[in-house]
Structure formats: structure tokens, C-alpha cells
Amino acid sequence: MSNIQHQHTVKEDPWSSLKAFTSARIALGRTGTAIPLKEVLAFKLAHAHARDAVYSRLDNNLLLEELHASLLPVLLLHSSAADRHEYLQRPDKGRRLDQESIATLQAQPDAFMHRDVAIIIADGLSATAINIHAVPFLNHLLPLLKAAGISVAPVCLAEQARVAIGDEIGERLQAKMTLMLIGERPGLSAADGMGAYITFNPRTGNTDEGRNCVSNIRQDGLQYIPAAGKICYLLQESLRLQLSGVALKDNYEDPSLLTA
């Protein structure tokens, strides 16, 4: 029997130097005609993280504790989707509140109504992202809103929710605009991206061209401080111009990127 040894070392990809600039799967190299084993395993692990994020749950106890530490009133709301299975199968139910949540909003005192912005925190497709990033991000944003004179309604913590549920919440709170913080669809390079959607004059039936989106808010993406500055700018412009969406242009200049 011949003694054949297979020695397939990993051959480096010519683009490997570009990996320093992105978390995307590029320049994986090869061993023989295959992807290196460590890259196959990394792909499987990322896929598992993405699936876990989709089925993750909001840590309401932690979020409530952290939000109350910021002296913010918080309302617990829920969409019409009874559970995660229905949420994934029926996107329409994730866009509307259940009856108990409607009653909660209707019972709010006048002092909580007619504010400039209603902030909604929703699980979306990655509660993991919200559990990690929502409150640390708000800790940077809220002082900017206060300095800008933007009044804030009670924070709404919405479960099994999609972006459009913010329209109904904002409408019932009679807020001038909404800021929706929501877990983004997880990918194979990030399972914890948080998106922020700004909608002026929130009304049930609004469509997506009327929103502004700031995405990939996370430590390895758009970090909290520049994200907070950009969103505060967009909220100020939305109030000034009385609009949002494709007509509201992002001309924000990050001070940390400007040279003297």
C-alpha cells in the first residue's frame, strides 16, 4: 500500500490585507480546492449566532432597571403577535398593538402627550442588539436632546414589534415624531446591529419612504457617540422642516472627523 500524505496548507488570499478594514467574509484563503476548516467553522458559528438573535427575547427586567436609573418613565407594550412564531409568520401583526397596549396608551395623562418625540425600543429581529446597545446609546442621546430643547414622551418598550408599530404608538401619544430603536435583521458578520428610524407626524399607514434610518449602531459599527450626534441632528431638522424620509437630507458633519 502506498503511503500518500496530503499536505494542504492554507494558501493566503491576495486580498488578505483588506480584512483589516471590514468584518465581511473576504480573502478567506483556501486549502487545496476548499475553504480552510477554521473559516467553515467560523461561518457555522456566525450562522448560529444569527439564528439565536432572531429568537432572542428582550431582557425587560434589565432594560427597565437601566431606564429607570435614567429617571425615564417607561411603558411596556406588545404587538398583536402572540409569540415569536406568529411574529415571524405574520409580519402584519408585528406592526399593530394588542388591545391591552392600546388601553395603556389611552390611559396616559395629558402631561405625557404632545411631546416632540416618542422613543420606542423594540426587539425587531434581534432582541440581542437591543439588550446590549439601546440604553448605552440613549445615555449619549438624551443629554443632546435636552440641550436641543426636544421634549421626550415616556419610553415605550415594545415586544414582538416591527418598525411600523411606532406609527400607532406615536399617533396615540400625539407625538410630533417618533424615534424607533430596533434590532436589525442579523447577518453573518453581525448579529447585534441596532437600527434607528425617525418618522415625522407618525400615523397608522405611513410607508417607509417617510422615514429616515440610521443603521448598524454597535461597537464594531457606527458607535454610540457619532450615532447620537447624527440622530439628534436629524430630529432637529425634522422638527424644523416638519418632514422626514427622502425629503430630509443628512448633512450632518461629525465633529470628531473634522480637522482644525
Side-chain angles (χ1 to χ4, degrees):
M1 182 182 295
S2 61
N3 185 17
I4 301 176
Q5 292 184 341
H6 297 280
Q7 296 181 348
H8 290 314
T9 58
V10 176
K11 184 176 181 179
E12 189 174 275
D13 191 286
W15 288 8
S16 59
S17 61
L18 299 179
K19 296 177 73 171
F21 303 102
T22 178
S23 58
R25 279 185 169 71
I26 64 169
L28 302 181
R30 62 185 176 87
T31 175
T33 60
I35 298 174
L37 177 60
K38 70 173 184 177
E39 298 294 349
V40 173
L41 295 176
F43 179 89
K44 290 181 178 291
L45 180 61
H47 185 261
H49 284 318
R51 286 180 59 86
D52 287 346
V54 168
Y55 288 97
S56 59
R57 297 177 60 90
L58 288 178
D59 189 342
N60 282 337
N61 291 334
L62 174 63
L63 291 169
L64 285 171
E65 180 180 346
E66 292 177 335
L67 289 168
H68 286 151
S70 302
L71 303 178
L72 291 171
V74 182
L75 305 178
L76 292 177
L77 306 176
H78 201 287
S79 77
S80 295
D83 53 33
R84 200 61 174 174
H85 176 75
E86 187 172 42
Y87 171 84
L88 295 172
Q89 295 291 323
R90 292 285 305 273
D92 57 311
K93 291 197 171 186
R95 300 184 183 112
R96 298 304 301 268
L97 293 166
D98 64 12
Q99 290 302 312
E100 184 177 350
S101 298
I102 291 173
T104 296
L105 292 174
Q106 290 175 337
Q108 296 309 303
D110 289 342
F112 287 168
M113 310 292 281
H114 306 286
R115 300 295 180 93
D116 291 328
V117 61
I119 298 175
I120 301 110
I121 300 175
D123 44 10
L125 289 170
S126 176
T128 298
I130 295 302
N131 293 335
I132 296 172
H133 302 304
V135 175
F137 166 73
L138 285 176
N139 288 339
H140 292 284
L141 177 64
L142 290 171
L144 297 180
L145 298 184
K146 183 177 181 180
I150 296 176
S151 59
V152 180
V155 174
C156 297
L157 194 57
E159 291 188 89
Q160 311 297 358
R162 295 183 182 268
V163 172
I165 203 171
D167 296 330
E168 184 176 7
I169 294 171
E171 184 175 18
R172 292 185 179 279
L173 288 174
Q174 300 179 46
K176 295 179 182 177
M177 55 186 173
T178 57
L179 171 63
M180 165 74 78
L181 303 179
I182 192 167
E184 296 178 316
R185 184 186 305 276
L188 294 175
S189 59
D192 66 333
M194 183 176 74
Y197 290 82
I198 295 167
T199 306
F200 184 81
N201 191 27
R203 293 292 182 271
T204 301
N206 282 355
T207 49
D208 287 343
E209 86 283 350
R211 313 186 200 283
N212 295 84
C213 177
V214 178
S215 64
N216 197 33
I217 301 171
R218 59 190 184 97
Q219 289 297 81
D220 293 326
L222 180 60
Q223 296 187 347
Y224 302 147
I225 292 176
K230 179 185 289 288
I231 289 169
C232 183
Y233 165 84
L234 288 171
L235 290 171
Q236 287 178 285
E237 287 295 283
S238 183
L239 279 174
R240 182 177 71 85
L241 299 172
Q242 304 285 285
L243 52 80
S244 61
V246 295
L248 178 60
K249 305 306 179 184
D250 181 2
N251 296 316
Y252 175 69
E253 294 182 343
D254 185 349
S256 67
L257 300 179
L258 300 178
T259 57

